[in-house]
Amino acid sequence: MVVQKVGRQSSLTRLGSILNTAVHPKRQQPSNGEVQWCFSQVKGTLDDDVTEADIISCVEFNSTGDLLATGDKGGRVVIFQRDPQEPSVLQSKSSIPRRGEYNVYSTFQSHEPEFDYLKSLEIEEKINKIRWLNRQNPAHFLLSTNDKTIKLWKVSERDKRVEGYNTREDSGQMRDPSSITSLRVPVIKPMELMVEASPRRIFANAHTYHINSISVNSDQATYLSADDLRINLWNLEITDQSFNIVDIKPTNMEELTEVITAAEFHPIDCNVFVYSSSKGTIRLCDMREAALCDKHAKMFEEPEDPTNRSFFSEIISSISDVKLSNSGRYMVSRDYLSVKVWDLRMETKPTESYAVHEYLRAKLCSLYESDCIFDKFECCWNGNDTAIMTGSYNNFFRMFDRTTKRDLTLEASREVAKPRTVLKPRKVGMGGKRKKDEISVDCLDFGKKILHTAWHPSENIIAVAATNNLFIFQDKF
């Protein structure tokens, strides 16, 4: 069991100190109706010296948006809780209450490094994915996974303690039975609030290859886990067995042509799930059709443009992430250069396609040599499925408005980490004469990359992981 006192900032262990500045200006929408994004908070140190263990590897809001969890390469999970929204003393009743800030709620070590002696293989402690379960009681539950082992964590609060035991002292030391001369009635007394994180289930030994995805079913009783070649279905109550629902491993591994890159359950239909592959395809499967879903119900694939065919075509067409929309009608996929929106009723081509950083097409050779071309960028929806967000290089992240078709490039940097700072749109110049406020494509820092982003389920609040820092932005109000 891991116990953490609420409010102790030092308990953030190696994630570093917190620069925590909130923005609470009056609501002010621009005349064109677009959202103006403002800096809200940044968690972590702003030092140049970054240890590998502190690099954030996943970010996830819970279903209400009141909790925000991050996992890092050191195997730690840090949960931030949003303070209650309370009207300021100086504000009138008619004014908008100030927004709550996200502060550290719990920190615990989820995974430790292991060694597989049978395969002489080191298993990293890095947290690959975190998924929240819907809240059923006062406690919170989440799943976290590294390459091999999935754990179900219970995060609960304790603000009362029992005193006056008969057989032991309040310190826990057992009493001598001969010294007990009278019967005491235990009493419950208030205590300083404690947050306890305890592993309730450990799901292990089911994956030969590295786990890249976990997804909780809408029935909140089962979940799936996917590795490079197989997808397993688990019951949250059963740890010693799972059902293999997809297996694309060929009889002869030399005939292997694709691997599974991401998998997710449908948000409403508990029998439907999708998974993407390194070949740029997305398969939709229905578990009612067969126990083993090797035959997909639908396959989404965009024919390749022959004019863009190159040595790198197969690499950049690999889908690194797929997310179904909250309504369940659409899904968004991310490949190296673009994000695409698919209608689940149309398999032949995406309904929308957005270029994330098309200016990198001319630099694919150097990106291949530096291995950057294999970076796995994630993508996410906003609460009402009208906008998409994904990351890029130089700490840039991109937003695409599906209604207006406008796109926006913003930057998570130290320069914006000041109160009330409105984020300025950034532009990248393709070469030649640069315009004002443009950055040359040759000046981009490919060591700074936004791989993990999350959008609040109902508000314009976003969390962006920039190496070891977690930036939180919100719309100006």
Side-chain angles (χ1 to χ4, degrees):
M1 178 181 291
V2 184
V3 181
Q4 180 235 341
K5 283 189 178 182
V6 172
R8 286 181 59 188
Q9 302 296 341
S10 59
S11 66
L12 200 51
T13 60
R14 295 172 61 190
L15 194 64
S17 60
I18 298 176
L19 171 59
N20 187 4
T21 314
V23 178
H24 307 305
K26 288 185 178 180
R27 179 170 292 278
Q28 182 182 355
Q29 292 292 349
S31 57
N32 59 6
E34 283 188 351
V35 174
Q36 269 193 310
W37 290 97
C38 248
F39 168 77
S40 177
Q41 297 168 264
V42 60
K43 306 292 188 181
T45 61
L46 293 178
D47 299 333
D48 289 322
D49 187 22
V50 179
T51 59
E52 184 78 7
D54 289 336
I55 296 175
I56 298 172
S57 55
C58 56
V59 183
E60 190 77 9
F61 281 102
N62 72 341
S63 59
T64 62
D66 291 332
L67 295 178
L68 174 62
T70 65
D72 64 26
K73 289 190 175 183
R76 295 179 298 268
V77 172
V78 181
I79 301 175
F80 302 97
Q81 183 183 47
R82 192 180 187 185
D83 296 336
Q85 297 183 6
E86 298 177 0
S88 169
V89 178
L90 300 175
Q91 288 178 321
S92 65
K93 290 183 179 180
S94 60
S95 64
I96 299 166
R98 77 176 189 86
R99 294 190 179 181
E101 301 169 7
Y102 285 91
N103 290 306
V104 178
Y105 178 63
S106 178
T107 305
F108 57 92
Q109 188 73 31
S110 175
H111 287 71
E112 300 280 359
E114 300 172 48
F115 189 79
D116 187 335
Y117 291 96
L118 291 175
K119 296 181 180 178
S120 295
L121 191 70
E122 289 186 9
I123 302 170
E124 290 184 347
E125 65 272 39
K126 173 194 166 194
I127 308 297
N128 291 340
K129 285 286 186 291
I130 290 173
R131 291 290 180 264
W132 291 93
L133 276 67
N134 288 345
R135 197 173 184 182
Q136 309 287 346
N137 55 48
H140 298 278
F141 289 86
L142 61 85
L143 288 166
S144 64
T145 183
N146 66 350
D147 287 339
K148 297 291 182 182
T149 305
I150 305 157
K151 295 184 181 182
L152 174 66
W153 289 88
K154 178 184 179 182
V155 182
S156 54
E157 296 181 355
R158 189 154 57 95
D159 60 358
K160 293 180 177 62
R161 66 180 177 188
V162 178
E163 290 184 2
Y165 288 103
N166 287 283
T167 57
R168 60 183 171 89
E169 303 290 348
D170 292 333
S171 62
Q173 186 178 357
M174 296 302 294
R175 297 176 68 188
D176 182 3
S178 61
S179 68
I180 302 173
T181 57
S182 61
L183 184 67
R184 295 194 294 180
V185 178
V187 293
I188 297 175
K189 291 189 175 181
M191 58 175 278
E192 185 181 358
L193 179 65
M194 303 282 286
V195 177
E196 299 175 342
S198 54
R200 302 309 300 268
R201 306 269 191 281
I202 297 178
F203 308 86
N205 306 318
H207 285 277
T208 307
Y209 307 97
H210 292 174
I211 299 171
N212 56 47
S213 303
I214 50 175
S215 177
V216 181
N217 202 344
S218 58
D219 63 12
Q220 293 291 304
T222 57
Y223 75 92
L224 65 76
S225 59
D227 64 25
D228 292 342
L229 299 178
R230 296 188 180 99
I231 301 176
N232 293 333
L233 179 68
W234 300 82
N235 187 304
L236 282 161
E237 300 295 325
I238 302 169
T239 61
D240 58 354
Q241 66 177 6
S242 61
F243 295 97
N244 180 222
I245 53 175
V246 172
D247 188 347
I248 66 168
K249 182 180 179 182
T251 309
N252 182 359
M253 282 295 279
E254 291 181 0
E255 297 171 2
L256 182 67
T257 58
E258 64 178 332
V259 294
I260 297 167
T261 55
E264 188 179 55
F265 265 121
H266 192 279
I268 300 164
D269 297 329
C270 62
N271 50 281
V272 175
F273 68 93
V274 298
Y275 69 92
S276 58
S277 85
S278 57
K279 273 193 167 181
T281 63
I282 305 168
R283 293 174 175 86
L284 182 143
C285 300
D286 191 332
M287 293 191 294
R288 296 172 298 185
E289 292 184 359
L292 190 63
C293 302
D294 282 352
K295 293 183 179 178
H296 50 267
K298 292 184 177 183
M299 186 164 82
F300 303 84
E301 183 177 17
E302 185 178 28
E304 186 185 1
D305 184 356
T307 59
N308 284 335
R309 180 76 187 168
S310 72
F311 170 78
F312 307 105
S313 294
E314 287 189 13
I315 301 173
I316 63 174
S317 65
S318 174
I319 294 174
S320 57
D321 195 21
V322 61
K323 293 278 173 59
L324 285 145
S325 65
N326 298 292
S327 67
R329 177 176 171 180
Y330 300 97
M331 62 182 172
V332 61
S333 65
R334 171 70 205 262
D335 56 43
Y336 190 68
L337 293 178
S338 64
V339 286
K340 295 167 183 173
V341 176
W342 304 80
D343 190 320
L344 292 190
R345 298 174 295 186
M346 188 171 77
E347 304 168 58
T348 52
K349 62 178 181 178
T351 56
E352 302 158 36
S353 186
Y354 304 98
V356 177
H357 37 218
E358 187 63 25
Y359 46 80
L360 294 183
R361 191 177 288 276
K363 288 190 160 292
L364 292 178
C365 188
S366 59
L367 291 166
Y368 177 79
E369 290 172 356
S370 64
D371 283 345
C372 285
I373 201 169
F374 301 106
D375 287 332
K376 299 186 184 307
F377 293 95
E378 296 175 5
C379 54
C380 63
W381 295 89
N382 70 342
N384 57 8
D385 302 338
T386 58
I388 301 157
M389 176 170 59
T390 191
S392 182
Y393 294 103
N394 207 68
N395 277 358
F396 288 170
F397 57 99
R398 303 272 282 139
M399 290 179 165
F400 303 96
D401 190 312
R402 299 181 60 213
T403 308
T404 62
K405 305 301 179 190
R406 290 194 181 99
D407 63 288
L408 188 63
T409 302
L410 301 173
E411 183 181 5
S413 70
R414 304 177 188 192
E415 284 68 34
V416 303
K418 298 183 183 73
R420 299 181 177 84
T421 303
V422 177
L423 302 191
K424 294 180 180 178
R426 303 302 305 267
K427 291 183 180 179
V428 179
M430 296 287 287
K433 193 173 182 180
R434 276 195 296 128
K435 298 178 183 176
K436 188 183 178 183
D437 297 332
E438 271 190 354
I439 180 171
S440 169
V441 67
D442 298 318
C443 297
L444 296 177
D445 187 344
F446 293 97
K448 295 179 178 178
K449 55 193 82 170
I450 304 292
L451 301 176
H452 315 286
T453 58
W455 204 311
H456 189 285
S458 57
E459 298 180 39
N460 279 329
I461 300 174
I462 56 174
V464 175
T467 319
N468 65 324
N469 293 311
L470 181 70
F471 285 84
I472 299 175
F473 304 107
Q474 63 187 36
D475 61 333
K476 187 173 181 178
F477 77 111

